[in-house]
Amino acid sequence: MSGRDVGGDRLREMQRGLRMSHPPDPGALAAEKRDLTELEKASPLRRTRAYLKLSGPGYMQSAMTLGGGTAIASLGAGAAFGYKLLWVAPTAMLLGIVMLTAVSHQTLSTGMRPFDAMARFAGKPLAWAWAIGALLSSIIWHFPQYSLASAGLVDIGAAFGQTWQPQYMSFVILAWAIGLSTLYGKSPTWVRLYERLLKYMVWGIVLCFGYVVFKTGVDWSRVAEGLTFQLPDSREGVAAVTLILSGLSAAVGVNMLFLYPYSLLARGWGREHRRLARFDLYVGMLIPYVLATGLILIASANTLYDDFAGDSIAAVDAAQSLATVIGPRLGRSIFDLGLIGMALSSISLQMLTCGFVATELFGWEVGSRKHQLTMLIPTPGVLGPVLWTKLVWLAVPTNIVCGLFLPAAYLGFTLLQRNEHYMGSDLVRGPRGRIWFLAMLGITVFMVVFLGWYMMQYGPGYFDTYLTSTGG
């Protein structure tokens, strides 16, 4: 067989899409595609109602990014700078949606698995950097998620006079996470059920923090000022820059970027779903993320800003501080439940990401026994309540290392966006195509420059200070 034949076989294998033990029913999928084609001519109201029923992958992204890191960053921003950094989360998510919209267009147009497509058409180094970054970030950031969820459960117990050990709570969370994660891939019905559960969790998180803000109040004039891209004019410096960089890089993490296109393929979506995918990103990802982060920041600013003296805050300490305003039991517990929901959703989706990475690297089927076992790769994070307090200094270098992988993934998808061999007739041409490509390239360059500038300006000194203060 010639080299060209081998390449052709490889390309045809890529075009078969995601390997699944239980793929979507072809008849049901064909009917769904016909309905979507008809909806293109329907009224906006009718189309919106139909899209709301079919949405799902966008909520998975929202549930993943609403994790412990987002909670701490939003609490810290509100406590240290009041309303002044409200603009960071919407800006970060809009930049991320530019990239994710391109990813959905590429994946749904070609039907190819993105890892193999990036390796073939953009370069293996970029593809491997993307996969390794997704795997590493999912494993390491599992630890603080368990710490946050366990601390929240312990605090709820304390609010009602109960003493619960965080180590035991951590294993309760592990059992829940394994049970939920293994639903995915068993059948198309279970995939839909998994996404529906995450959808409920996302809006549950928003409602929890919405209740807290309702009790603490909102200064709408300060909200308007906080959305005007202002930098803090007092107590500014490394803390402000760190929070801004954290928000810009964490809104769409490298593991989220891996999970998203594979969740589209697992649904069996294709060209007919491209408009639905865009709708899903805005309604399922952008809106809940902006609401949740904004509500956390406002609640923190309302109650902690005037008395705060530092550049970080513990999430459960914030819940206890809010107790005097929102109630020592019910209100405090609702705030804790929001934090727990953020951690639980991230834990499940980080496990799912590890499974997708492993299936791509080793050629296994999604839903197979091997795939389900590889979802257990990050489960040592269950020791978070035991180890994370001693290894908390790892957060800084881990965040930097994982952040370095994100521009590589962004660059890979940017190159794919203009690759005619990959996109074929679905290549977006003309002014729209050039603007889209330049926007993706600009975001990639911005992330590289900002991260590099931050490391040269603040990184080494801030890291040394952090190590000293934490005993690392």
Side-chain angles (χ1 to χ4, degrees), residues 135 139 350-360 362 364-365 368-379:
L135 192 64
I139 293 171
Q350 286 166 355
M351 295 171 70
L352 196 61
T353 300
C354 289
F356 276 131
V357 173
T359 55
E360 277 301 85
F362 300 108
W364 298 332
E365 291 183 337
S368 65
R369 180 60 59 86
K370 290 180 179 179
H371 165 248
Q372 292 181 342
L373 288 175
T374 56
M375 287 195 293
L376 303 179
I377 290 174
T379 53

Side-chain angles (χ1 to χ4, degrees), residues 121-395:
F121 296 107
K124 290 183 179 180
L126 294 177
W128 278 91
W130 177 39
I132 292 172
L135 192 64
L136 285 178
S137 59
S138 297
I139 293 171
I140 298 174
W141 287 115
H142 231 54
F143 287 85
Q145 307 296 347
Y146 276 98
S147 296
L148 177 64
S150 298
L153 287 172
V154 170
D155 191 57
I156 290 176
F160 290 88
Q162 302 296 317
T163 302
W164 296 339
Q165 296 299 318
Q167 296 88 340
Y168 300 147
M169 295 299 99
S170 191
F171 281 95
V172 171
I173 294 163
L174 174 64
W176 177 91
I178 292 176
L180 180 61
S181 300
T182 52
L183 293 179
Y184 198 89
K186 286 185 175 180
S187 72
T189 302
W190 286 112
V191 169
R192 293 290 183 94
L193 176 61
Y194 179 89
E195 292 176 352
R196 190 175 297 118
L197 289 173
L198 287 178
K199 187 184 299 186
Y200 296 151
M201 289 186 68
V202 166
W203 286 113
I205 291 167
V206 173
L207 289 175
C208 284
F209 293 123
Y211 171 82
V212 174
V213 170
F214 173 76
K215 298 292 288 186
T216 59
V218 181
D219 186 335
W220 292 107
S221 63
R222 292 170 65 196
V223 169
E225 292 178 2
L227 296 174
T228 57
F229 298 94
Q230 60 177 324
L231 290 172
D233 53 12
S234 63
R235 290 187 263 184
E236 59 187 345
V238 64
V241 177
T242 300
L243 287 168
I244 293 171
L245 178 60
S246 175
L248 291 174
S249 61
V252 178
V254 65
N255 50 0
M256 291 173 58
L257 198 61
F258 201 99
L259 174 67
Y260 179 60
Y262 285 91
S263 65
L264 297 177
L265 292 175
R267 275 285 201 107
W269 286 9
R271 283 186 176 86
E272 297 83 358
H273 295 80
R274 290 186 298 195
R275 188 169 184 172
L276 168 61
R278 292 193 296 270
F279 174 90
D280 188 37
L281 280 175
Y282 282 97
V283 174
M285 182 179 177
L286 175 66
I287 294 175
Y289 178 82
V290 171
L291 285 175
T293 54
L295 291 170
I296 297 171
L297 188 147
I298 290 171
S300 178
N302 286 347
T303 56
L304 304 173
Y305 175 51
D306 292 332
D307 301 322
F308 184 73
D311 60 4
S312 64
I313 187 170
V316 173
D317 291 343
Q320 294 169 358
S321 299
L322 289 165
T324 57
V325 180
I326 61 178
R329 287 191 175 182
L330 179 61
R332 174 176 162 185
S333 298
I334 287 175
F335 186 82
D336 281 326
L337 283 173
L339 297 174
I340 293 167
M342 294 176 78
L344 291 179
S345 60
S346 292
I347 288 170
S348 170
L349 288 161
Q350 286 166 355
M351 295 171 70
L352 196 61
T353 300
C354 289
F356 276 131
V357 173
T359 55
E360 277 301 85
L361 297 184
F362 300 108
W364 298 332
E365 291 183 337
V366 174
S368 65
R369 180 60 59 86
K370 290 180 179 179
H371 165 248
Q372 292 181 342
L373 288 175
T374 56
M375 287 195 293
L376 303 179
I377 290 174
T379 53
V382 73
L383 300 176
V386 179
L387 297 177
W388 194 252
T389 55
K390 300 176 182 178
L391 301 180
V392 67
W393 57 271
L394 283 175

